[in-house]
Amino acid sequence: MGNDLRSVTELDRLIHEPARLLIVTILSTVASADFLFLQRETGLTKGNLSAHLSKLEEAGYVKIEKTFKGKLPLTVCSLTADGQKALAQYRRQMQDFILKTQ
Amino acid sequence: MKSDLSDVQQRVNRYWYTDGLAEIIGGGMFILLGAYFALQDFLGPNSTISVILQVSLVLVLIGGAFVSRRLINSLKTRLTYPRTGYVEYRVNKKDTGRKRILVATLAFTISALTIAFVAIFKSFDSMAAVTGFIVGMILVLLRGKASGLFRFYILGAISLLLGLAISASGLNEGYALGLYYGLMGVCFLVSGGLTLAHYLHENPLPAEGQSGQ
């Protein structure tokens, strides 16, 4: 396998997982979104979404805050600067790989 | 798991309109604006109240926009966020700058066209048609295209046709604009109301402990 194609093995596997890729992509388009919105948009179960968000939070890609909007309690998620850089890097690597294998 | 990434941005944009609340409040504001223009014609140019109304149009518009936003957020906190979740939209400073330039260009173009129209035709009779066209374009290009929601294309077409029909009716400028804004306001109320009814029917409040919060 050429060096050019070998770079695909260096993809960030944390983001590469489909559910987490969807979560990170949604969060990249907004300033923040709450747990309920993410659950409905991704179609993941509550437990599954919690697990993926925990992994992203541990890696420093997502920030999770418990807050209030008026009297409504919310668990709000947002993409950190590291998370945005990681997603941008992932997109570049994938685009590069696709171009070289066309 | 839903895995279509291609329209994530559009789905997020669409979410703001999913409950119809923006249209309901916007419809109310349009009706008030219609009453504003009709009242000016009713009172006549020499009335003190009419003069006060004319000079306060900018305040009315700015105040209306401020109140609308707060009202929509308050209603969404009660109705929408507990049902389908909360989103805070990104404010892109570059986009804000571009939008301001676009709005300023549009305002300048409208003013120039209006002046040219009056100079050539000596009449404001086409104000309703021009307004209908501009509102229609905003609905189609900024709302319909951005959100992918078909109802904005329909509202855009209604705006255009309404403006043309009212201009052709020969009503005075104030009554013509009053009728245009009033009827468009009713259209927004109906569209928003039906959307809200559908949204509430499809999205009951989650049971205690199932909201994911």
Side-chain angles (χ1 to χ4, degrees):
Chain A
M1 187 166 49
N3 285 337
D4 285 348
L5 296 182
R6 201 171 286 145
S7 63
V8 78
T9 61
E10 292 160 15
L11 281 176
D12 186 337
R13 285 164 199 258
L14 194 63
I15 289 187
H16 187 56
E17 202 285 330
R20 289 195 288 269
L21 177 57
L22 183 55
I23 292 166
V24 165
T25 303
I26 291 168
L27 289 177
S28 72
T29 63
V30 296
S32 62
D34 82 327
F35 189 95
L36 179 59
F37 179 79
L38 287 173
Q39 194 184 349
R40 292 179 64 90
E41 282 298 304
T42 58
L44 295 168
T45 62
K46 190 174 153 184
N48 217 349
L49 178 59
S50 282
H52 287 302
L53 282 173
S54 292
K55 287 196 172 121
L56 289 167
E57 191 185 25
E58 272 166 30
Y61 290 172
V62 162
K63 188 172 106 174
I64 301 175
E65 258 184 284
K66 288 198 186 294
T67 183
F68 285 88
K69 177 105 180 132
K71 290 180 186 170
L72 182 68
L74 297 174
T75 302
V76 173
C77 308
S78 55
L79 206 59
T80 62
D82 284 347
Q84 284 174 24
K85 276 185 208 156
L87 180 62
Q89 166 81 352
Y90 173 83
R91 279 185 174 140
R92 273 194 300 272
Q93 283 174 311
M94 283 302 289
Q95 279 167 353
D96 207 38
F97 176 75
I98 289 165
L99 279 170
K100 284 170 180 165
T101 52
Q102 273 179 337
Chain B
M1 185 193 75
K2 297 175 193 175
S3 58
D4 185 358
L5 296 176
S6 60
D7 65 347
V8 166
Q9 178 71 59
Q10 197 174 63
R11 282 216 308 272
V12 169
N13 288 341
R14 197 182 301 156
Y15 185 63
W16 178 256
Y17 303 104
T18 198
D19 50 20
L21 288 172
E23 278 149 86
I24 291 171
I25 301 303
M29 291 295 155
F30 260 56
I31 288 172
L32 284 175
L33 207 51
Y36 170 91
F37 285 114
L39 191 60
Q40 285 207 309
D41 243 19
F42 178 76
L43 292 170
N46 299 321
S47 154
T48 310
I49 298 172
S50 179
V51 170
I52 292 170
L53 283 176
Q54 279 176 22
V55 299
S56 61
L57 178 59
V58 172
L59 287 173
V60 166
L61 291 173
I62 293 170
F66 178 75
V67 167
S68 296
R69 193 89 189 173
R70 287 189 78 100
L71 205 49
I72 292 169
N73 274 317
S74 173
L75 287 169
K76 279 185 181 284
T77 302
R78 283 171 182 270
L79 296 174
T80 313
Y81 300 152
R83 285 177 164 79
T84 48
Y86 167 76
V87 170
E88 186 182 341
Y89 289 90
R90 208 180 276 284
V91 176
N92 188 327
K93 285 182 184 168
K94 276 189 201 168
D95 276 354
T96 306
R98 279 190 207 126
K99 275 181 188 164
R100 283 183 185 152
I101 291 169
L102 179 65
V103 167
T105 307
L106 198 60
F108 177 76
T109 307
I110 294 163
S111 303
L113 280 174
T114 307
I115 291 166
F117 220 91
V118 171
I120 295 167
F121 297 105
K122 310 285 184 230
S123 152
F124 271 113
D125 287 348
S126 295
M127 277 307 287
V130 170
T131 307
F133 175 75
I134 292 166
V135 170
M137 284 297 105
I138 289 170
L139 283 167
V140 167
L141 294 175
L142 293 184
R143 297 284 173 253
K145 222 163 169 281
S147 65
L149 289 169
F150 187 65
R151 67 180 193 266
F152 287 120
Y153 290 103
I154 296 176
L155 287 167
I158 290 173
S159 174
L160 187 62
L161 293 171
L162 202 54
L164 286 169
I166 291 171
S167 277
S169 70
L171 276 174
N172 280 348
E173 179 205 338
Y175 286 130
L177 283 177
L179 189 61
Y180 167 80
Y181 280 110
L183 289 176
M184 269 316 291
V186 168
C187 290
F188 281 129
L189 281 176
V190 169
S191 170
L194 289 172
T195 305
L196 180 61
H198 177 77
Y199 170 80
L200 292 174
H201 181 259
E202 293 295 308
N203 299 288
L205 273 169
E208 282 285 322
Q210 284 182 4
S211 65
Q213 303 296 346

